[in-house]
Amino acid sequence: MSEVYATRRARLRERCNAAGTAAALISRPANVRYLSGAAPQGAVLLLGKCQDVLVCAVPPDDRPAEGRPDEALALQVLASPGGDPAVAAAGFADGQGAESLAVEEHHLTVARHRALSSVAPRLRLADLGSAVEQLRVVKDEEEISCLRIGAEIADQALGELLESILVGRTERHLALELERRLVDHGADGPAFPTSVATGPHSGRRGHRPTDRRVEEGDFLSVCLGATYRGYRCEIGRTFVIGTSPADWQIELYDLVFAAQRAGRESLAPGAAYRDVDRAARQVLDSAGYAEALPPLTGHGVGLENDEDPQLAPAAMGKLDACVPVTVEPGVHLPGRGGVRIDDTLVVRPEADGGPELLTITTKELLAL
Amino acid sequence: MSEVYATRRARLRERCNAAGTAAALISRPANVRYLSGAAPQGAVLLLGKCQDVLVCAVPPDDRPAEGRPDEALALQVLASPGGDPAVAAAGFADGQGAESLAVEEHHLTVARHRALSSVAPRLRLADLGSAVEQLRVVKDEEEISCLRIGAEIADQALGELLESILVGRTERHLALELERRLVDHGADGPAFPTSVATGPHSGRRGHRPTDRRVEEGDFLSVCLGATYRGYRCEIGRTFVIGTSPADWQIELYDLVFAAQRAGRESLAPGAAYRDVDRAARQVLDSAGYAEALPPLTGHGVGLENDEDPQLAPAAMGKLDACVPVTVEPGVHLPGRGGVRIDDTLVVRPEADGGPELLTITTKELLAL
C-alpha cells in the first residue's frame, strides 16, 4: 500500500510546485489519512522540501480500523502534551529551508494560522485550497472495494432490522440497533449518525431520531451507512408499516422512486453534476413538489460522508469514471411525512455496464 | 429560562464593550448554545449593536434534547442552501452600523474569516478570544442539575452492565451496550465515545474499543458519560474479572484510588488547578509511576466534555465554587494494563459540605 500514498503525495507535490510553493501542511483529518494511510487524532502531514513528516500529538493507534501510517513517512510524536502538531510542522518546514508553505485555509483556524506565522516568521503562508479534496474525488479500485464492503455491511444490518418487530419501538432504539448491527458485521462504526424517521418525520433528510414510536400506517424512513477502513457508504430506504399502504403513500413512493431512478440512470462519465440533479429533481418538480425539495439530490462519498461532488442545481463540474456518489431524492410533507430513497453508486462507463450499484437492498415498497 | 440567556449575553456584551467592540459573532457550537439556548447545525449568534440574531443554515430542530432558541432573539434562517451563517451575520452587523466585530479566532477558519472581511470590508474584525468559554466555567444550579441527572443515568447504565456476564464479550460490544443503556435511561446520547479497555489495554485514557474479548484475570476499565440537555458528565471505573485479583492488581488499584481520593479532597474554592493536579499526581509519582502518568488528572465538564479548567501541572488559575470537574488519575503499564478511576464532582465550599460527588458508583475494587 505504501506506493499508493507516495503516488498521492507526488501528485499533490506537483500541484504545489506548479503553484510556487515547495512545502505544504495538510491538517484536515481525511486529507491527512488519504495521503499518509492514517490520521491519529490531531495529526498533520508536512509535505516537506526534503522529507515528508507525519506529526502527531499522540502515538498512532494500533487498531486496524484507524489505518497504519505509511512507513515511507518520517513519524514525529510531540513530546509535550497540549502542543500543536501544525506549529511543530511549520517549524520543521522552516528548518528544511522552505520559503513558503501552503496550508488548508478552509480547515486551519485564524488562531492556529497566526501561531504558525509566529513560530516561523520567514515562512510565507499560502493557501492550498481544496487541492487534496480534488485528488480524492476519483477513487482507485482499493478504495471502491472498501466502499463495496461497507455497503454490504449496511445492507445486512438493514435486512436484519426488517425481519424484526417494529411497531411500538422508538426511532432512537431502532437507530441504536442498526448501529450495533453495523459493528456486528465488521464496520469500524456508523458512517454518520443513523437516521430513523417515523410517521410525520419520515422523508426528512438527516432527521435525528426521537422517542416517537413506530405506529401502524406509518411511513418509516431509514438512512444509515457503515465505515469500513475509513470509507463511508450510505443507504436510505422508506417502508410502510402495516399490511396495506394508503393510496397517497403508494403515489408518493412511486414518484420518489421514479425520481431516484432518473438520477441513477443519468450517472455517466462526462455528465454534469447539475444535470444528474436535474434529472431527479424535475420528476418531483413536475408533480408539484418544488417547494418540498432538498438543496441537493446526491453527493460524493469516501473518507468523509459528504464530500465532493455535490449534485445540486448550481454545482459546477462533470462526473468522472470511478466517482462514488449517492442519489437520494426525497419528499417530506410537513405533518404527514414522506419518502426518501438513497443509494451509493460508482460512476462507470457504459462499456463497463454503466453505474455500479453498491447498496442492493430492494427498492420495492415493502409493507412491514 | 429566557432571562438566563439574556443575562449571559449581557455579561458578554459588557466584556466586548470594555474591549472596545460593539458587536460579537459567536460561532463555536457550545458557545452559541450557552448564549441562545440552542445551536442548530452551523448556526451562529450575532451579539449586535441594536439586536441579537441567531442565524441558522437550517431551521431549529424540534427535539427537546437540542434545546429551544431563546424567544428574545431574532431568528434568521438562510434562504439559500450552502450559505454561511457567519457571513450573513457579518452583513447584519455591518447593516446595524457596527464598526468592529469580535470573532472567535480559535474557531473560525482562515477562509471564513476572509469571507467575513470581504462581505463587510468596513467592519474591523477583532478577536473575542475565549471570553465565552470563561463565562461557561462557573455553572448555575440549573446547569448542575442537568449534569447531576446525566451522572445518574451513567451510574445506572454502568450498574446494569456489571450485573451481566462479561467474560468472552468484546470491548466494542460492551461499549455499544453501555451507549444503548444510556439512551434507554433518558440520555440525549453518549457524552463522548464510550471507552472499554480490557487486559493490556486497561487504564489507557481514551482507549478506543477493539475486538479484544474480556478474559478471566483481566483488569476492565470503562469510561462513559451521558449527555442530558446538552450537558456532559463523565465516570470511569476499573474492575477485575474473576474471583480473586492478583497482588499487583490490588496494589495498583489501591494506589490509583489513593491518588484519586487526594485529588477529590483537594477540590475547594480557591484551590489552584495545578495544586489539585499535584495532589493526585504526587501519590503516583512517589510510588515510582512518574513515567506512566497522563498529561492531566482532570478537566471541566459542561456543554462540552473537555472544557476549562484543565487540572494539569502547568495550568494557571484557581477553582471557584460551582465548577464541575473530573478527577481521573490513572496508571497504564505497557503490556500489562492498568487502572483509571474517574469521577465528576462540583466544587462547593466547606460550609456546604465540600465537593459534591455526582457519580456515585462504588469505587471499591469489584471482582466480577
Side-chain angles (χ1 to χ4, degrees):
Chain A
M1 274 300 279
S2 185
E3 273 174 40
V4 170
Y5 302 114
T7 306
R8 291 173 183 172
R9 292 195 300 272
R11 292 181 63 198
L12 181 62
R13 194 183 303 276
E14 276 170 32
R15 292 207 180 195
C16 289
N17 291 346
T21 52
L25 174 67
I26 319 300
S27 56
R28 186 171 175 157
N31 292 346
V32 174
R33 182 160 185 174
Y34 181 75
L35 297 169
S36 51
Q41 208 189 338
V44 302
L45 173 68
L46 174 67
L47 219 63
K49 210 172 157 184
C50 35
Q51 191 182 32
D52 296 343
V53 190
L54 183 65
V55 189
C56 305
V58 294
D61 205 315
D62 54 3
R63 308 191 327 153
E66 301 302 304
R68 291 190 203 290
D70 176 6
E71 288 173 8
L73 288 172
L75 184 70
Q76 287 274 354
V77 179
L78 296 190
S80 65
D84 182 346
V87 170
F92 293 144
D94 193 37
Q96 287 182 10
E99 287 165 3
S100 61
L101 179 69
V103 300
E104 299 192 290
E105 292 192 350
H106 59 300
H107 180 263
L108 268 195
T109 65
V110 176
R112 291 180 87 190
H113 194 268
R114 182 165 301 143
L116 300 190
S117 296
S118 78
V119 75
R122 290 177 309 176
L123 210 56
R124 184 174 55 80
L125 298 182
D127 185 12
L128 184 62
S130 56
V132 187
E133 285 85 350
Q134 286 162 31
L135 291 178
R136 285 168 45 201
V137 169
V138 174
K139 270 72 176 178
D140 64 32
E141 288 302 324
E142 186 78 26
E143 296 180 280
I144 291 171
S145 157
C146 290
L147 286 166
R148 198 179 288 120
I149 294 170
E152 280 173 18
I153 292 170
D155 277 323
Q156 282 176 311
L158 183 57
E160 288 170 2
L161 188 80
L162 301 186
E163 289 171 12
S164 64
I165 303 288
L166 298 171
V167 170
R169 297 172 71 192
T170 69
E171 292 173 355
R172 292 219 279 187
H173 275 102
L174 293 175
L176 283 164
E177 180 170 331
L178 282 165
E179 295 189 354
R180 185 179 61 77
R181 290 184 186 279
L182 291 173
V183 173
D184 277 350
H185 288 293
D188 308 340
F192 51 88
T194 298
S195 178
V196 175
T198 63
H201 301 153
S202 58
R204 280 170 64 175
R205 182 167 199 266
H207 172 74
R208 297 179 61 182
T210 71
D211 290 323
R212 190 182 181 283
R213 292 175 193 277
V214 177
E215 295 175 13
E216 285 283 334
D218 275 357
F219 264 141
L220 169 70
S221 55
V222 174
C223 186
L224 73 158
T227 306
Y228 185 77
R229 297 198 181 164
Y231 284 81
R232 294 158 195 270
C233 67
E234 181 174 325
I235 177 172
R237 292 290 184 269
T238 300
F239 310 100
V240 71
I241 305 296
T243 45
S244 53
D247 288 347
W248 74 272
Q249 290 178 317
I250 296 173
E251 278 167 33
L252 191 60
Y253 192 91
D254 287 348
L255 182 73
V256 174
F257 178 81
Q260 206 254 358
R261 186 176 53 200
R264 278 187 282 122
E265 290 177 348
S266 66
L267 294 177
Y273 302 153
R274 61 170 61 172
D275 289 345
V276 177
D277 175 75
R278 186 163 52 223
R281 192 177 292 272
Q282 72 186 6
V283 174
L284 304 175
D285 235 355
S286 61
Y289 289 110
E291 291 292 300
L293 296 188
L296 53 78
T297 56
H299 57 77
V301 293
L303 287 168
E304 291 174 290
N305 172 246
D306 195 349
E307 50 178 65
D308 290 335
Q310 300 285 303
L311 305 180
M316 301 290 284
K318 290 179 176 177
L319 289 172
D320 280 309
C322 300
V323 175
V325 293
T326 66
V327 178
E328 48 173 312
V331 172
H332 174 257
L333 307 175
R336 298 180 76 188
V339 176
R340 286 185 69 241
I341 303 174
D342 183 351
D343 279 314
T344 301
L345 304 99
V346 182
V347 176
R348 303 281 193 189
E350 192 65 36
D352 292 350
E356 177 189 353
L357 181 67
L358 301 187
T359 44
I360 61 171
T361 297
T362 182
K363 289 186 281 285
E364 276 182 87
L365 176 55
L366 297 184
L368 305 174
Chain B
M1 274 303 280
S2 184
E3 274 173 40
V4 170
Y5 302 114
T7 305
R8 292 173 182 172
R9 292 195 299 273
R11 291 181 62 198
L12 181 62
R13 194 182 303 276
E14 275 169 32
R15 293 207 181 194
C16 289
N17 291 347
T21 53
L25 175 68
I26 319 301
S27 56
R28 184 171 176 159
N31 291 346
V32 173
R33 181 158 186 176
Y34 182 74
L35 296 169
S36 53
Q41 209 190 339
V44 302
L45 173 68
L46 173 68
L47 217 63
K49 209 172 157 186
C50 37
Q51 193 182 31
D52 295 343
V53 191
L54 184 65
V55 190
C56 305
V58 293
D61 205 314
D62 54 4
R63 307 191 327 152
E66 301 301 304
R68 290 188 203 294
D70 177 7
E71 289 174 4
L73 289 171
L75 185 69
Q76 287 273 354
V77 179
L78 296 190
S80 65
D84 182 346
V87 170
F92 293 145
D94 193 39
Q96 288 183 10
E99 288 164 2
S100 61
L101 179 69
V103 301
E104 299 192 291
E105 292 191 350
H106 59 300
H107 181 263
L108 268 194
T109 65
V110 176
R112 291 180 87 191
H113 193 267
R114 182 166 301 143
L116 300 191
S117 295
S118 78
V119 74
R122 288 177 309 173
L123 211 54
R124 183 174 57 79
L125 297 182
D127 184 13
L128 185 61
S130 57
V132 187
E133 284 85 350
Q134 286 162 31
L135 291 178
R136 285 168 45 200
V137 169
V138 174
K139 270 70 175 177
D140 64 31
E141 289 303 322
E142 187 78 28
E143 295 180 280
I144 291 172
S145 159
C146 291
L147 286 167
R148 198 180 288 122
I149 295 170
E152 281 173 18
I153 292 171
D155 277 323
Q156 283 177 310
L158 183 56
E160 288 170 4
L161 187 80
L162 301 186
E163 289 169 13
S164 63
I165 303 287
L166 298 171
V167 171
R169 298 172 70 192
T170 69
E171 293 174 355
R172 292 220 279 187
H173 275 103
L174 293 175
L176 284 164
E177 181 171 331
L178 282 166
E179 295 190 353
R180 185 180 60 78
R181 290 185 187 277
L182 290 173
V183 173
D184 277 350
H185 288 293
D188 308 340
F192 50 87
T194 297
S195 176
V196 175
T198 63
H201 302 151
S202 58
R204 281 169 63 175
R205 183 168 199 265
H207 172 75
R208 298 178 62 180
T210 71
D211 289 324
R212 188 181 184 283
R213 291 176 194 278
V214 177
E215 296 176 10
E216 286 283 334
D218 275 358
F219 265 140
L220 169 70
S221 56
V222 173
C223 187
L224 73 157
T227 306
Y228 184 78
R229 297 200 181 162
Y231 284 82
R232 295 160 195 265
C233 67
E234 182 174 323
I235 179 172
R237 292 289 184 270
T238 299
F239 310 100
V240 71
I241 304 296
T243 46
S244 53
D247 287 346
W248 75 272
Q249 290 178 318
I250 296 174
E251 277 166 34
L252 191 60
Y253 192 90
D254 287 348
L255 182 73
V256 174
F257 179 80
Q260 205 252 359
R261 187 176 54 198
R264 279 188 280 121
E265 289 178 350
S266 68
L267 294 176
Y273 302 152
R274 60 168 63 167
D275 289 344
V276 177
D277 176 73
R278 185 162 54 220
R281 192 175 293 271
Q282 72 186 6
V283 173
L284 304 175
D285 237 354
S286 60
Y289 290 111
E291 290 293 300
L293 296 187
L296 53 78
T297 55
H299 56 79
V301 293
L303 287 167
E304 290 174 291
N305 174 247
D306 196 348
E307 50 177 66
D308 289 334
Q310 300 285 302
L311 305 180
M316 300 290 285
K318 291 180 177 178
L319 290 172
D320 279 309
C322 299
V323 175
V325 293
T326 66
V327 177
E328 48 172 312
V331 172
H332 174 258
L333 307 175
R336 299 181 75 188
V339 176
R340 286 185 69 242
I341 304 174
D342 183 352
D343 279 312
T344 300
L345 305 100
V346 182
V347 177
R348 303 281 194 188
E350 191 65 36
D352 293 350
E356 178 188 353
L357 181 68
L358 300 187
T359 45
I360 61 172
T361 297
T362 183
K363 289 185 282 283
E364 275 182 87
L365 176 55
L366 298 183
L368 305 172

